[in-house]
Amino acid sequence: MSLEKIRKYEFGNPYDTGAVVCDVRKQVGIPEGFKYDMNTETFTYTLGEKDMVFGLGETVRGINKRGWIYVSYNADDPVHDENKTSLYASQNFLIVDDGSSAFGIFVDNPGSVTFDIGYTDMNVMSIHPENNDTSFYVINGDSPLEIVASFRELVGKSYVPPIWAFGYGQSRWGYKTADDIRTVAKRYKELGIPLDMIYMDIDYMQDFKDFTVNPERFPNFESFVREMKADGIRLIPIIDAGVKIEKGYDVYEEGIKNDFFCKKEDGTPLVAAVWPGKVHFPDFLNPAAAKWFGDKYKVLTDMGIEGFWNDMNEPAIFYTEDHLKEVFGELEIIKDKELDIWGFFGFKGLIDSINNNPGDYRRFFHEFNGVKVRHDKVHNLYGFYMTKAAGEAFERNNRDRKILLFSRSSFMGMHRYGGVWTGDNMSWWSHLLLNIKQMPSLNMTGFIYSGADTGGFGGNTTEDLMMRWLEFSIFTPLFRNHSALGTRDQELYRFERSRDFKNIIELRYALIPYIYRECTKAINENGMYFKPLSFVYRDDERAGETEDQLLVGDSLMIAPVYEQNKTGRYVYLPEDMKLVRFRSYKDFDTEVLTKGDHYVKAELNEVLVFIRKGHKLTLTEPANCVDRLDMDRCVATFEF
Ligand code: MIG
């Protein structure tokens, strides 16, 4: 059993977060290899010159996390630039690897944890939980992949999505009516571009109320769901964390009646504002409240819905009633004063502090494992427990079919209930590269069903960015084109080169048997679908430094083009491989390349796939949706 290689250390009174599913015997003392400073409550580890540090799931920067500071504290922040320390997720698992020996650590603490990985001192990794009630695991093993397998045994088997969820999905914040959605389906059909899912963003709801459908804009919703499905398309609605405060709205009324909302110190429910206006937050950490909220998804599954995305569950807060009052109070004081320049910036800072204010996370409480816990101490569990509530409800209520489920916010443990998308990226070339780098880190931590908003969410995409991004995203298990309200339209039929887009999406469908098989393997064997090169080519220093190429399953390496105005790129081959340059699933050329560096041409419409030695790739005939694919058919075989 690989659990034998795991040691557990406890500090203070750790919460049972639900991340871990196995019992590991406790050790006394300090985690091996670490020093612990009682005064600063910080663990430190001296990094060797060759040490690379992998992990932390969804974060900014490289696959090798060395050289930056990361704070696990789930944040609703739509600007994922290099300067950020927190995104929507906290996966506190790391591997330190010098190429020949490695070990892993998992910090099971649901509050803020700071990982300074050679930021303050290039040779020191320090870990500081804000509240040091921590279970600290050290995982030994002969290689990163072995350590990953042990860690994943510790945290339990990853979520298995339905097979159709490997199809292509179109989304956009702004589809308002059934006809808007019909148009998307129709335009895709006209061009013969496969499509499995159309996502429904917040506008399908009545006044942004969870588990409602606006009856004017979506008359006969149930038959609309059926109509779409007859065309091979499933509708995937969004669910937000906040419940609108509105007399007569059943979810609100039931939540109040049963005391299911998060409360303040004084016992009254917290009043925050998000899209619905004023909301209460369900206390997903309270099992009774979680069961109640989870069962609500049935309103939609009863109408034929088979998939959901959970949003705003960090939770994102536009403002709280209390903080807003404080701000107005302070404005009252400075209103008639002559502001000096620092006073002016103080005033501006006050306004900027209104949304996602950290102080607001200290204003409300959960009923967690039978005790009252202030939110900030268990902050990172909120999105996890929302998604767990839904996942457990599907196991109770939807036994006849698998439900697609993924979330924006996450923590270790959530990988058992759903996947993740990486939130509000931008239509930037640098975010295509970030997407490439995030995938293996997410896979390490068991988030196999994951992907980014292809084409970019914020800002305006361009046709070539969309094309290049698709050429990478056809390999990501979650494959969705999504964009923000007010940005340039980016459905594939909005562009000129629709033939090329069709070819790329068809190639995805031809690859689905391979992708599905390799993802299933990663899930069942506690492995990784996307791997950094260095996890396989262990003693190859160049492989360790190559972060813009990935291994996909056991047989393939990819090297996406992620820069504008390029018709090729340099590729590093850690061994001889066979290159397949796809223009479509049936139009390609192949070439054997030797270990080492190569400049490889890739025109805008060409996808580069490298077959590893001793491996094979077979393609099936694409279809307009996954249900119509013949998974056993083989229209092309590539072998090396
Ligand atoms: O405040 O529902 O990340 O995918 O389109 C923005 C609207 C709320 C954030 C999600 C995004 C979604 C958007 N939501």
Side-chain angles (χ1 to χ4, degrees):
M1 273 275 277
S2 44
L3 286 177
E4 281 161 22
K5 306 216 166 145
I6 304 182
R7 286 171 214 293
K8 178 184 183 180
Y9 303 84
E10 280 189 359
F11 300 87
N13 283 313
Y15 293 103
D16 179 4
T17 61
V20 164
V21 296
C22 309
D23 277 333
V24 177
R25 208 158 47 84
K26 261 184 273 174
Q27 312 282 317
V28 283
I30 303 302
E32 8 166 339
F34 283 81
K35 287 201 193 89
Y36 182 66
D37 181 334
M38 299 270 223
N39 296 321
T40 58
E41 300 192 321
T42 302
F43 302 91
T44 55
Y45 177 86
T46 305
L47 292 166
E49 204 184 318
K50 289 209 158 136
D51 278 336
M52 300 176 279
V53 181
F54 300 103
L56 286 188
E58 184 186 315
T59 46
V60 295
R61 297 200 172 217
I63 294 179
N64 183 350
K65 307 316 288 181
R66 199 166 169 169
W68 190 238
I69 187 165
Y70 300 88
V71 180
S72 284
Y73 202 63
N74 297 345
D76 164 31
D77 184 335
V79 187
H80 314 162
D81 58 35
E82 275 185 52
N83 206 37
K84 291 297 158 67
T85 52
S86 306
L87 297 181
Y88 312 90
S90 296
Q91 286 104 3
N92 300 340
F93 170 59
L94 284 173
I95 288 178
V96 180
D97 173 28
D98 69 3
S100 58
S101 70
F103 69 94
I105 55 173
F106 172 48
V107 182
D108 192 6
N109 180 316
S112 170
V113 182
T114 300
F115 295 86
D116 179 334
I117 308 176
Y119 165 75
T120 303
D121 177 335
M122 281 182 81
N123 300 314
V124 175
M125 172 170 78
S126 73
I127 299 170
H128 171 67
E130 187 180 284
N131 165 20
N132 200 12
D133 291 320
T134 303
S135 296
F136 195 120
Y137 296 84
V138 177
I139 304 142
N140 290 308
D142 291 335
S143 68
L145 285 173
E146 229 189 86
I147 293 163
V148 165
S150 298
F151 169 65
R152 297 264 296 287
E153 191 174 340
L154 180 71
V155 295
K157 187 181 163 182
S158 299
Y159 165 73
V160 180
I163 186 164
W164 53 262
F166 287 82
Y168 171 66
Q170 179 64 57
S171 185
R172 178 173 178 87
W173 179 10
Y175 299 152
K176 283 205 158 54
T177 63
D179 277 342
D180 287 348
I181 287 173
R182 283 192 183 98
T183 304
V184 175
K186 183 169 142 262
R187 300 293 301 274
Y188 270 95
K189 199 172 179 182
E190 280 164 6
L191 292 175
I193 303 180
L195 185 67
D196 263 88
M197 292 156 273
I198 299 179
Y199 287 80
M200 302 171 75
D201 209 318
I202 48 175
D203 296 298
Y204 78 85
M205 296 184 231
Q206 176 72 51
D207 303 322
F208 306 124
K209 285 184 287 192
D210 281 338
F211 313 114
T212 68
V213 178
N214 182 306
E216 269 113 63
R217 289 187 270 117
F218 291 89
N220 302 317
F221 185 63
E222 231 181 304
S223 74
F224 177 56
V225 174
R226 243 181 289 124
E227 170 195 329
M228 284 292 118
K229 192 155 170 203
D231 259 338
I233 291 169
R234 285 171 169 93
L235 299 175
I236 315 293
I238 195 170
I239 302 292
D240 279 9
V243 169
K244 185 173 176 67
I245 300 175
E246 187 188 275
K247 280 246 157 320
Y249 167 40
D250 58 343
V251 185
Y252 165 75
E253 296 285 359
E254 290 167 23
I256 290 288
K257 189 170 123 236
N258 298 300
D259 210 8
F260 284 156
F261 294 124
C262 293
K263 286 178 288 191
K264 299 192 292 184
E265 186 80 78
D266 67 5
T268 63
L270 175 85
V271 179
V274 202
W275 290 110
K278 300 240 173 106
V279 302
H280 293 321
F281 290 122
D283 185 2
F284 302 119
L285 277 61
N286 167 352
K291 176 169 186 298
W292 161 74
F293 193 87
D295 283 339
K296 287 287 164 201
Y297 286 76
K298 199 162 176 297
V299 171
L300 291 158
T301 55
D302 281 351
M303 294 197 257
I305 292 296
E306 295 171 68
F308 299 91
W309 45 311
N310 284 344
D311 190 23
M312 306 302 267
N313 51 4
E314 295 71 30
I317 298 180
F318 293 167
Y319 67 85
T320 61
E321 212 172 40
D322 290 325
H323 182 56
L324 200 63
K325 251 185 225 139
E326 291 164 5
V327 170
F328 282 127
E330 296 200 31
L331 290 180
E332 205 53 51
I333 300 169
I334 56 176
K335 201 169 91 198
D336 301 315
K337 286 211 180 114
E338 191 63 41
L339 288 182
D340 67 9
I341 215 64
W342 300 113
F344 162 75
F345 281 114
F347 154 72
K348 192 168 172 296
L350 188 65
I351 302 300
D352 291 341
S353 80
I354 293 175
N355 64 317
N356 295 322
N357 185 290
D360 282 334
Y361 292 143
R362 294 191 288 268
R363 283 180 202 275
F364 63 101
F365 295 80
H366 298 276
E367 196 70 37
F368 186 44
N369 297 331
V371 288
K372 185 172 158 188
V373 181
R374 204 174 69 188
H375 174 80
D376 60 309
K377 302 201 161 126
V378 290
H379 172 69
N380 292 336
L381 298 183
Y382 196 70
F384 165 18
Y385 276 63
M386 177 187 184
T387 303
K388 179 173 185 263
E392 288 180 340
F394 300 150
E395 282 161 27
R396 279 195 303 278
N397 303 331
N398 306 85
R399 302 203 70 96
D400 58 324
R401 62 188 55 181
K402 276 207 182 101
I403 303 290
L404 169 62
L405 178 62
F406 59 91
S407 170
R408 191 169 73 173
S409 177
S410 63
F411 187 74
M412 279 318 311
M414 205 204 84
H415 69 290
R416 300 194 299 271
Y417 301 95
V420 288
W421 95 100
T422 56
D424 299 349
N425 61 5
M426 301 283 266
S427 296
W428 293 343
W429 290 87
S430 61
H431 275 184
L432 165 53
L433 180 58
L434 178 64
N435 185 189
I436 296 168
K437 293 181 182 186
Q438 284 175 327
M439 296 313 291
S441 311
L442 275 166
N443 272 209
M444 280 173 71
T445 61
F447 288 87
I448 304 293
Y449 191 77
S450 53
D453 289 348
T454 299
F457 175 76
N460 294 325
T461 202
T462 57
E463 184 161 357
D464 53 351
L465 176 60
M466 180 51 90
M467 189 99 63
R468 289 304 195 191
W469 207 319
L470 289 170
E471 290 168 9
F472 169 64
S473 290
I474 57 168
F475 296 97
T476 65
L478 165 55
F479 180 26
R480 178 174 83 144
N481 173 344
H482 181 47
S483 56
L485 194 65
T487 60
R488 179 179 183 178
D489 291 322
Q490 63 184 45
E491 294 85 3
L492 301 185
Y493 52 80
R494 307 281 185 176
F495 303 106
E496 286 302 309
R497 300 178 61 161
S498 52
R499 183 74 230 179
D500 291 331
F501 286 119
K502 176 173 153 71
N503 288 339
I504 295 167
I505 305 295
E506 280 184 347
L507 179 59
R508 158 68 170 216
Y509 280 72
L511 282 161
I512 283 179
Y514 177 78
I515 295 171
Y516 185 70
R517 195 176 56 242
E518 295 296 317
C519 282
T520 306
K521 220 195 302 175
I523 292 168
N524 291 334
E525 297 173 10
N526 291 329
M528 296 166 68
Y529 166 77
F530 282 116
K531 290 187 272 276
L533 268 47
S534 67
F535 278 29
V536 170
Y537 303 97
R538 293 284 297 132
D539 46 14
D540 182 336
E541 198 176 44
R542 283 290 307 283
E545 291 175 12
T546 303
E547 297 203 346
D548 57 357
Q549 302 171 204
L550 298 176
L551 295 167
V552 180
D554 284 338
S555 306
L556 309 181
M557 182 183 82
I558 55 168
V561 176
Y562 52 87
E563 289 178 307
Q564 194 159 26
N565 302 316
K566 294 283 154 68
T567 55
R569 55 162 287 175
Y570 281 97
V571 179
Y572 173 69
L573 267 66
E575 62 176 335
D576 296 356
M577 291 185 185
K578 181 187 257 180
L579 162 66
V580 188
R581 187 185 286 104
F582 285 105
R583 283 167 292 278
S584 80
Y585 75 99
K586 50 187 173 190
D587 176 16
F588 47 80
D589 53 73
T590 66
E591 183 184 350
V592 171
L593 296 176
T594 53
K595 175 177 160 67
D597 292 290
H598 296 269
Y599 185 81
V600 180
K601 289 293 279 181
E603 296 292 339
L604 187 54
N605 62 339
E606 291 178 330
V607 180
L608 303 175
V609 174
F610 299 82
I611 317 281
R612 293 177 58 199
K613 228 186 194 144
H615 289 266
K616 186 165 111 173
L617 170 70
T618 59
L619 300 181
T620 189
E621 178 85 36
N624 67 322
C625 64
V626 174
D627 286 344
R628 287 167 207 167
L629 279 180
D630 180 348
M631 297 287 280
D632 299 318
R633 179 120 191 252
C634 169
V635 294
T637 304
F638 306 91
E639 240 171 308
F640 182 44

